[in-house]
């Protein structure tokens, strides 16, 4: 047992840069619930879009082979092996989406709440001012950093939480924005804070619940948003085709229903990941790890991209489910991983 754990730890550190304390177990495809019924061709298309960014000869080999595949299911079953990391943990799946929001280029009428470009004095990787300090000090005002203005401060907050969006202008043109930088503070959930204060039970909290509470409670509502010190800056994505999804952490478009955000310390970006999500709308599907999120931590944590618009937002907002997450590694990378317990 000790020898097996040492081999697994060495493999994870050298090839995956995963926490050596994590447990790894090689599985068979027959162990994956619902595997045979998935659309493997759809997963393969999404895999092809970012596999070239994966590092290492094993990944390069399977990526090259993925360019000309006649049988997608056979490709995954012969070139990969399922590996369960952190199997003692219960997975947590949530959802995210790309909002569509009314906005204006200038502060006019109801459009008074700006989203900003990254200020030049803020250095990447260093902690800067918190959300509360930014919004109460006026440090960004009048500097030409405004990209657009929204009519609702809560919409600004949730646009930052999602990290990207489509802004519909008064002339019906669309401006797409995406993540540019963050202020270095860790994300803190305002929904959990509402539960902690006794306003709601955990199962009652949703994005819509938070919006209504903030709008109904004036200054106290604004202070609730300051509970999350993380603040996101945006950039314009004027060259992103309208039919494409928003850009993920790999600077490539993510795909609704096939892309997930993961902790890149535990899951390599671009890798195939089989998910078995429980809850009211169970999901058994081969996804591709193409994004990250400040609240996504650990090998059994994933955020599912549901698409664009209000319907996608409602679907994403209902997801907080258990299950398990299983990575697919190239065969060469799992030869020394035990198939036992």
């Amino acid at each position: 047992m000790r020898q097996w754990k040492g081999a697994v730890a060495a493999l994870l550190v050298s090839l995956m840069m995963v926490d050596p304390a994590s447990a790894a177990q090689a599985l068979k495809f027959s162990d994956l619930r619902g595997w045979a019924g998935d659309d493997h061709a759809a997963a393969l298309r999404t895999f092809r879009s970012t596999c070239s960014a994966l590092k290492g000869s094993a990944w390069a080999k399977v990526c090259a082979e993925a360019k000309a595949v006649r049988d997608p299911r056979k490709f995954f079953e012969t070139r990969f092996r399922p590996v369960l990391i952190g199997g003692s943990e219960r997975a947590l799946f949530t959802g995210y989406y790309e909002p569509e929001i009314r906005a204006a280029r200038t502060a006019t009428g109801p459009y008074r709440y700006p989203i900003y470009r990254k200020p030049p004095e803020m250095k990447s990787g260093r902690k800067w001012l918190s959300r509360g300090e930014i919004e109460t000090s006026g440090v960004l005002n009048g500097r030409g950093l405004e990209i657009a203005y929204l009519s609702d401060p809560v919409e600004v907050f949730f646009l930052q939480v999602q990290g990207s969006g489509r802004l519909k202008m008064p002339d019906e043109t669309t401006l797409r924005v995406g993540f540019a930088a963050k202020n270095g503070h860790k994300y803190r959930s305002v929904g959990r804070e509402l539960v902690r204060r006794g306003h709601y039970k955990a199962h009652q909290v949703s994005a819509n619940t938070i919006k209504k509470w903030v709008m109904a409670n004036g200054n106290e509502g604004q202070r609730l948003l300051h509970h999350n010190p993380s603040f996101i800056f945006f950039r314009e994505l004027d060259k992103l085709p309208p039919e494409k999804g928003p850009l993920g952490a790999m600077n490539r478009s993510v795909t609704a229903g096939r892309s997930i955000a993961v902790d890149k310390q535990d899951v390599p970006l671009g890798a195939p990941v089989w998910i078995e999500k429980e809850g009211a709308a169970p999901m058994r599907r081969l996804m591709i790890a193409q994004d990250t999120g400040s609240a996504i931590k650990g090998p059994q944590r994933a955020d599912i991209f549901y698409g664009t618009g209000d319907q996608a937002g409602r679907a994403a907002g209902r997801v907080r489910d258990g299950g398990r997450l299983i990575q697919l590694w190239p065969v060469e990378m799992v030869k020394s991983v035990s198939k036992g317990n």
Side-chain angles (χ1 to χ4, degrees):
M1 178 63 74
R2 289 180 182 177
Q3 184 177 6
W4 171 71
K5 287 185 176 178
V8 170
L11 180 69
L12 293 176
V13 172
S14 63
L15 296 178
M16 297 275 301
M17 295 186 296
V18 175
D19 181 353
S22 297
Q25 181 184 3
L27 303 177
K28 296 177 292 184
F29 282 95
S30 58
D31 296 323
L32 309 187
R33 296 187 286 273
W35 170 261
D38 192 26
D39 185 347
H40 302 91
L44 179 62
R45 287 192 295 271
T46 305
F47 176 66
R48 284 170 174 159
S49 70
T50 52
C51 70
S52 61
L54 283 156
K55 305 299 182 183
S57 59
W59 286 112
K61 185 176 180 180
V62 296
C63 187
E65 293 181 8
K67 296 176 182 178
V69 172
R70 293 185 178 181
D71 185 336
R73 178 180 170 183
K74 183 177 180 181
F75 166 72
F76 285 114
E77 290 180 348
T78 57
R79 298 303 301 132
F80 293 87
R81 291 292 180 270
V83 178
L84 178 64
I85 304 292
S88 61
E89 300 179 26
R90 180 174 171 80
L92 174 60
F93 295 100
T94 50
Y96 74 111
Y97 73 110
E98 182 186 32
E100 288 184 318
I101 307 171
R102 286 283 175 181
R105 281 284 197 177
T106 58
T108 180
Y111 303 110
R112 298 184 290 116
Y113 303 96
I115 61 170
Y116 295 99
R117 298 179 182 85
K118 176 181 174 291
E121 70 272 21
M122 194 187 82
K123 306 301 181 184
S124 297
R126 296 184 185 179
K127 188 176 287 188
W128 200 56
L129 301 175
S130 69
R131 173 181 299 278
E133 291 168 335
I134 291 171
E135 294 185 347
T136 58
S137 68
V139 66
L140 300 176
N141 295 352
R143 298 176 55 187
L145 297 172
E146 297 86 356
I147 294 176
Y149 295 81
L150 279 57
S151 62
D152 184 342
V154 186
E155 293 286 5
V156 172
F157 179 86
F158 278 100
L159 180 61
Q160 291 189 14
V161 171
Q162 300 303 323
S164 63
R166 301 188 189 215
L167 308 183
K168 184 71 73 173
M169 298 298 160
D171 63 359
E172 298 304 317
T173 59
T174 298
L175 170 64
R176 298 187 74 177
V177 294
F179 176 90
K182 62 179 294 185
N183 62 344
H185 290 260
K186 290 184 178 180
Y187 172 85
R188 294 173 66 188
S189 170
V190 298
R192 290 180 184 173
E193 180 63 10
L194 280 175
V195 172
R196 188 192 70 79
R197 295 181 187 182
H199 295 296
Y200 298 100
K201 301 295 184 182
H203 71 276
Q204 297 175 313
V205 175
S206 66
N208 194 48
T209 302
I210 295 169
K211 290 177 184 179
K212 289 181 177 179
W213 195 93
V214 171
M215 297 306 292
N217 286 276
N219 290 335
E220 187 179 358
Q222 192 63 36
R223 287 194 295 271
L224 173 70
L225 299 184
H226 292 170
H227 174 76
N228 175 21
S230 177
F231 193 95
I232 303 300
F233 298 91
F234 293 93
R235 58 185 171 125
E236 297 183 35
L237 304 176
D238 53 355
K239 295 183 180 180
L240 188 60
E243 69 276 10
K244 294 285 190 178
L247 299 182
M250 305 181 77
N251 204 35
R252 313 274 183 89
S253 289
V254 294
T255 301
R258 287 293 167 180
S259 297
I260 57 173
V262 296
D263 184 345
K264 66 179 181 179
Q265 298 302 315
D266 292 293
V267 184
L269 289 178
V273 180
W274 177 255
I275 69 167
E276 296 175 359
K277 186 186 80 66
E278 299 169 354
M283 184 180 291
R284 310 283 188 258
R285 190 172 296 177
L286 183 56
M287 313 289 273
I288 309 300
Q290 295 178 321
D291 209 354
T292 60
S294 56
I296 311 302
K297 300 297 181 185
Q300 287 294 312
R301 182 73 173 89
D303 210 17
I304 302 168
F305 178 61
Y306 275 82
T308 298
D310 291 342
Q311 184 174 350
R314 287 190 292 271
R318 290 191 291 264
V319 179
R320 190 172 181 82
D321 300 320
R324 66 174 183 169
L325 182 153
I326 300 162
Q327 300 179 38
L328 267 59
W329 292 3
V331 173
E332 290 85 347
M333 291 174 58
V334 294
K335 288 179 179 178
S336 61
V337 178
S338 170
K339 295 182 180 180
N341 293 327

